[in-house]
Amino acid sequence: MSQTAKSQPIIQMRGVTKRFGNFAALRQIDLDIEAGEVVVLLGPSGSGKSTLIRCINLLETYDEGDVVVDGIRVEEGRALRQVREEVGMVFQAFNLFPNLTVLDNIALGPVRVRKLSWAAAREKARRLLARVGIAEQADKYPIQLSGGQQQRVGIARALAMEPRVLLFDEPTSALDPEMVGEVLDVIKGLAGSGTTMLLVTHEMGFARKVADRIVFMEAGEIKEIASPDTFFTRPESERAQAFLDAVLNH
């Protein structure tokens, strides 16, 4: 876990509320994430996990409260570009550009946003492809890759921007079961790298191994925050116990 607990958290959420019509997807969320920390969001479908992480880079606008990333309030305007340069995101769907090679999918962001030359950006992309274990796929197009390979490209693309925070929104949910492990192994490797990571996942064994803290949500509220060992062996709430019984004995 990060040793910077006495400094300002890299992510601060205070009173964050998000509504879709009359439905409250998030209700008064208070959450601090320390720099370098790996936090996993767990909870039943519809509990607000994906909405919460999408509010961090304003892919969802929140209705009340404050989200602050590295001292910058997350809101429309110039500040939002600063935040998005520091916050990378890996989606359920891979969201790769089909008309670009794997290499150029990764290089495009650093060229456009960081103003790297194409040569420098492509060299960086090759290093990242090696890091996620698919260096040999550089010149292929996304349609030529398996789902697991495409998701590893998505992770490399997020890393290319050198984010201080990485958000993962159920990164394995769109994958065939045999491809899940290869993507989880890549994320596990990143977990010790010092990048702050916030993950939504249904992979319980993985969550237990990589998380510094588990945040359990239900009905748009944080019900429990605990270490993985505590959460998985002696959760405080009956609701968390019922959730674990359901998913672990499924």
Side-chain angles (χ1 to χ4, degrees), residues 124-144:
K124 183 178 195 177
R126 289 188 190 280
R127 292 197 303 271
L128 288 169
L129 284 171
R131 183 175 177 183
V132 300
I134 50 171
E136 72 284 357
Q137 308 297 339
D139 297 322
K140 292 185 179 178
Y141 288 85
I143 197 171
Q144 298 173 283

Side-chain angles (χ1 to χ4, degrees), residues 6 20 38 68 97 117 127:
K6 292 182 180 178
F20 295 100
V38 179
V68 176
F97 295 109
S117 69
R127 292 197 303 271

Side-chain angles (χ1 to χ4, degrees), residues 16-211:
V16 175
T17 297
K18 169 64 181 178
R19 300 183 190 88
F20 295 100
N22 293 325
F23 173 70
L26 297 176
R27 306 166 186 263
Q28 295 293 311
I29 296 293
D30 292 336
L31 181 64
D32 287 345
I33 309 292
E34 302 294 340
E37 193 175 23
V38 179
V39 174
V40 174
L41 301 178
L42 297 180
S45 296
S47 57
K49 308 180 298 295
S50 292
T51 302
L52 187 153
I53 67 167
R54 290 171 69 88
C55 285
I56 292 172
N57 58 3
L58 217 63
L59 291 178
E60 287 294 356
T61 55
Y62 50 94
D63 298 306
E64 296 173 15
D66 288 292
V67 180
V68 176
V69 176
D70 202 17
I72 304 168
R73 187 176 190 273
V74 179
E75 57 189 344
E76 294 288 355
R78 187 180 301 173
L80 183 57
R81 178 169 179 171
Q82 289 179 269
V83 168
R84 287 180 173 167
E85 287 180 7
E86 291 201 17
V87 178
M89 188 155 185
V90 179
F91 300 88
Q92 296 178 43
F94 318 122
N95 291 357
L96 302 177
F97 295 109
N99 59 319
L100 296 180
T101 64
V102 164
L103 196 69
D104 285 352
N105 261 281
I106 298 168
L108 182 63
V111 168
R112 285 193 173 173
V113 179
R114 302 292 192 199
K115 307 305 180 188
L116 263 64
S117 69
W118 274 105
R122 285 174 175 143
E123 177 59 34
K124 183 178 195 177
R126 289 188 190 280
R127 292 197 303 271
L128 288 169
L129 284 171
R131 183 175 177 183
V132 300
I134 50 171
E136 72 284 357
Q137 308 297 339
D139 297 322
K140 292 185 179 178
Y141 288 85
I143 197 171
Q144 298 173 283
L145 305 185
S146 70
Q149 290 170 332
Q150 289 188 58
Q151 191 59 295
R152 284 193 272 174
V153 175
I155 293 169
R157 182 178 59 182
L159 290 171
M161 297 299 291
E162 299 182 11
R164 295 200 62 201
V165 177
L166 265 179
L167 308 175
F168 293 85
D169 186 7
E170 298 192 30
T172 60
S173 66
L175 300 179
D176 293 333
E178 65 269 23
M179 297 176 183
V180 169
E182 67 183 63
V183 172
L184 294 182
D185 285 344
V186 170
I187 299 171
K188 204 180 301 179
L190 297 176
S193 69
T195 302
T196 307
M197 294 167 58
L198 193 56
L199 300 100
V200 176
T201 184
H202 292 291
E203 303 290 337
M204 296 297 127
F206 169 73
R208 188 168 186 172
K209 286 178 183 174
V210 303

